[in-house]
Amino acid sequence: MSTSSLLVVGSVAFDTVETRAGKRNEVLGGAASYVSVASSFLTPAPVRLVGVVGTDFPEAHTKFLESHRVDLAGLERVEGRTFRWAGVYAKDFSTRTTLDTQLNVFQDFRPKLPPAWKDSEYVFLANIDPALQLNVLEQTAKPKFVACDTMNFWIEGKRADLLRLLPRVDMLMLNDEEARLLSGEANLPAAARAIRGMGPKSVVIKRGDAGALLFHEGGVFAAPAFPIENVVDPTGAGDSFAGGFMGWMVREGNVTPATIRTAMILGSVLASFSVEDFSLDRFRKLDLTQIRERFLAFADLVHFEKIKL
Amino acid sequence: MSTSSLLVVGSVAFDTVETRAGKRNEVLGGAASYVSVASSFLTPAPVRLVGVVGTDFPEAHTKFLESHRVDLAGLERVEGRTFRWAGVYAKDFSTRTTLDTQLNVFQDFRPKLPPAWKDSEYVFLANIDPALQLNVLEQTAKPKFVACDTMNFWIEGKRADLLRLLPRVDMLMLNDEEARLLSGEANLPAAARAIRGMGPKSVVIKRGDAGALLFHEGGVFAAPAFPIENVVDPTGAGDSFAGGFMGWMVREGNVTPATIRTAMILGSVLASFSVEDFSLDRFRKLDLTQIRERFLAFADLVHFEKIKL
């Protein structure tokens, strides 16, 4: 186990979410929240969170994050309201509709690393403007492993900045539609090949309940999604995946293909827990024993005998 | 290795197919063709095919099927034209449009088992009218393992017959949309639970390039699809899956959860080859060495270390 440090940069938000399982108003959300807390179950050292909230961000949330050893020295608190998002999922979870987005203090977010964090070895750049993601990297000394997320909005609107960022990251994580949009290829292996040509050594394509695919020098790896019968709220599943993934990378302290494969499974494990409740609530009652059990369940989910033909 | 026999009942057809990779006119198709030939790579004994063709069915096709040890004693040849289907796939393979369906001699297909085949131990009922599928079962003595396919058309139009059939089969294989339609459940584990309640001990839900899920007494098993960059023609992929699956079941001669899991992978292997060329053409140049190599590639595709947490 290494004592390496994980830096997470991204949004902290209030989410208003409605699914077939119910509705929650202004609960804790935001990519950086999910990534930090999900990773915290695995990282040996506190996770370093860089984000911004308004003066309306309650102490209860701060205490919750700190209870998961999330270091908030990089969480700016500025005059104004915290980022708010509201959405509703179709009854079958096949689509979600954004009802409201209020960037508020997130509008002028300029990530600033505390000086002591410039040595961070592992960096996760959650989905923000690629120019800001690049700026974060310029504030770091020499990270060992950098992964980033992005979205349609940046692929279409800030493509040049994104293409400047990609050669600087080790891994791009994105969903299947984003991979197709970025690459212009409908076929996922072809899309991954094209994206790796843009710079990242590794590409992870997230496919929701169809799992995730890793394309890298170690070949292709397919991580299934855990079949969950009672999905409550898929919000943050992709970020929880990233959290579990990065948490394992930091814990192992190396970037070998074998470690990356195991990290894919731990990402899937954390994502599978995340959807079982609203907001980050499933993480409030999660422990390492449950994570261990589900890891073994993943191993069983894909197990077959290596027969002779 | 057992010497059990596999009986396959279904369509033999001429397909006219257009994909981004090209167009083929009136090439060999039909579910029973794909299932039989795919399974023939694994079965110890000749595969027994029950179907119907017209007087226009060429000797070249008969010879091709026989070259794969497909026993055609149950392939009726009647006055008239063979079943024809024509379709075109979207450039990204996300949808396909049927341009023409001419049932021809298949319209009056009444499957009739040669007397010597009534002892068939393994039975695959490809997608035909569930009343006919049931009739085939009534012609068999006491099969050890029966699997069947179905489609939207029968789920909506012949639901009562389908519900009479399901308690008589060991396994239902269908795609995700069909599973949702049959069960009324959007969530796939919930759909599988509901369908198992209709009779079949096992349910396989096929998800195209997202792989296939098995739900049975041995728990859940996820078989990935092999990432294929140059898909030529997806026609028959599901039937090739069924063929590889049944071929392994017959070869092993038991129906244990471990055998069923391996059969899922061999189904995925045969399906992955099938899409690499039009019609059954990929099978014309396929051999056991290639099957063995891709089986190992599947093992690598999902391999991760069983770490201690």
Side-chain angles (χ1 to χ4, degrees), chain B residues 8 11 27 40 59 78 81 89 111-112 130 133 155 176 186 191 204 226 232 239 249 269 275-276 300 304 307 309:
Chain B
V8 176
S11 61
V27 289
S40 74
E59 203 185 333
V78 307
R81 281 158 61 83
Y89 288 84
K112 193 160 171 252
Q133 291 176 315
I155 295 170
D176 44 5
V204 171
F226 199 75
V232 170
D239 295 314
M249 295 299 292
V269 165
V275 304
E276 292 180 339
D300 182 66
F304 59 91
I307 46 92
L309 266 171

Side-chain angles (χ1 to χ4, degrees), chain A residues 187 207 209 222 261 300, chain B residues 187 207 209 228 261 300-301:
Chain A
N187 175 282
R207 307 184 73 188
D209 78 345
R261 282 174 175 239
D300 181 66
Chain B
N187 176 282
R207 307 184 73 187
D209 78 345
I228 300 284
R261 282 174 177 239
D300 182 66
L301 180 64

Side-chain angles (χ1 to χ4, degrees), chain A residues 72-86:
Chain A
L72 301 179
L75 183 65
E76 249 186 298
R77 178 184 290 263
V78 307
E79 195 60 45
R81 280 159 61 84
T82 300
F83 179 21
R84 276 163 172 79
W85 174 83

Side-chain angles (χ1 to χ4, degrees), chain A:
Chain A
M1 199 186 288
S2 77
T3 53
S4 307
S5 48
L6 171 60
L7 174 71
V8 176
V9 183
S11 62
V12 176
F14 289 139
D15 288 348
T16 294
V17 180
E18 188 169 358
T19 78
R20 63 184 291 171
K23 189 177 174 186
R24 292 293 181 278
N25 288 304
E26 304 208 338
V27 288
L28 180 60
S33 309
Y34 281 100
V35 177
S36 303
V37 175
S39 63
S40 74
F41 290 96
L42 301 167
T43 56
V47 180
R48 299 165 170 180
L49 189 160
V50 169
V52 63
V53 293
T55 39
D56 57 355
F57 197 71
E59 204 185 331
H61 288 347
T62 313
K63 279 197 186 311
F64 165 66
L65 294 169
E66 284 173 343
S67 76
H68 282 277
R69 298 178 311 136
V70 180
D71 188 337
L72 301 179
L75 183 65
E76 249 186 298
R77 178 184 290 263
V78 307
E79 195 60 45
R81 280 159 61 84
T82 300
F83 179 21
R84 276 163 172 79
W85 174 83
V88 56
Y89 288 83
K91 211 182 155 200
D92 64 1
F93 292 110
S94 60
T95 56
R96 90 171 179 193
T97 308
T98 291
L99 301 176
D100 191 29
T101 304
Q102 300 173 19
L103 291 175
N104 298 330
V105 300
F106 195 61
Q107 174 87 58
D108 299 312
F109 178 44
R110 297 290 172 275
K112 193 160 171 251
L113 268 58
W117 291 7
K118 295 185 187 298
D119 67 350
S120 299
E121 288 190 287
Y122 290 79
V123 177
F124 187 78
L125 305 168
N127 165 36
I128 55 174
D129 184 334
L132 296 182
Q133 292 175 313
L134 195 57
N135 177 270
V136 169
L137 285 190
E138 282 160 2
Q139 295 178 53
T140 59
K142 197 172 180 298
K144 192 166 171 175
F145 184 80
V146 178
C148 76
D149 192 1
T150 191
M151 71 181 291
N152 292 6
F153 186 73
W154 311 121
I155 294 169
E156 290 178 322
K158 290 269 196 159
R159 192 176 177 89
D161 286 326
L162 185 58
L163 292 179
R164 261 191 295 277
L165 171 70
L166 290 180
R168 301 280 300 272
V169 306
D170 298 286
M171 173 180 281
L172 176 63
M173 287 187 189
L174 72 185
N175 71 32
D176 43 5
E177 283 318 308
E178 292 157 355
R180 291 186 172 111
L181 184 67
L182 176 57
S183 65
E185 296 279 356
N187 175 282
L188 295 180
R193 179 189 298 275
I195 294 169
R196 289 180 68 202
M198 299 172 189
K201 283 189 288 294
S202 310
V203 174
V204 171
I205 300 182
K206 298 176 286 183
R207 307 184 73 188
D209 78 345
L213 292 169
L214 162 71
F215 298 87
H216 70 152
E217 57 180 353
V220 190
F221 176 68
F226 198 75
I228 300 284
E229 195 162 336
N230 296 306
V231 174
V232 170
D233 176 12
T235 308
D239 296 315
S240 300
F241 174 91
F245 181 95
M246 293 301 292
W248 185 255
M249 295 298 293
V250 174
R251 183 182 173 119
E252 287 296 277
N254 68 62
V255 296
T256 64
T259 295
I260 294 178
R261 282 174 175 239
T262 303
M264 290 282 293
I265 297 297
L266 282 157
S268 303
V269 166
L270 271 296
S272 74
F273 283 120
S274 173
V275 303
E276 293 181 337
D277 206 341
F278 284 100
S279 180
L280 285 79
D281 288 355
R282 184 63 183 86
F283 295 147
R284 293 177 192 269
K285 44 187 194 255
L286 184 64
D287 59 36
L288 206 55
T289 303
Q290 295 171 48
I291 291 175
R292 192 180 294 127
E293 278 167 12
R294 191 154 293 175
F295 182 87
L296 293 174
F298 264 91
D300 181 66
L301 180 64
V302 299
H303 172 75
F304 59 91
E305 285 172 26
K306 307 309 172 290
I307 45 93
K308 290 241 188 304
L309 267 171

Side-chain angles (χ1 to χ4, degrees), chain B residues 47-110:
Chain B
V47 180
R48 300 166 170 180
L49 190 159
V50 170
V52 63
V53 293
T55 38
D56 57 355
F57 196 71
E59 203 185 333
H61 288 346
T62 312
K63 281 198 184 308
F64 165 65
L65 293 168
E66 285 173 341
S67 76
H68 282 278
R69 298 179 310 136
V70 180
D71 187 336
L72 300 180
L75 183 65
E76 250 187 297
R77 177 185 289 261
V78 307
E79 195 60 45
R81 281 158 61 83
T82 300
F83 179 21
R84 276 162 172 79
W85 175 82
V88 55
Y89 288 84
K91 211 181 154 200
D92 64 1
F93 292 111
S94 60
T95 56
R96 89 171 179 195
T97 308
T98 290
L99 301 176
D100 190 31
T101 304
Q102 299 173 18
L103 291 176
N104 298 331
V105 300
F106 195 60
Q107 174 88 55
D108 299 311
F109 179 44
R110 296 290 172 275

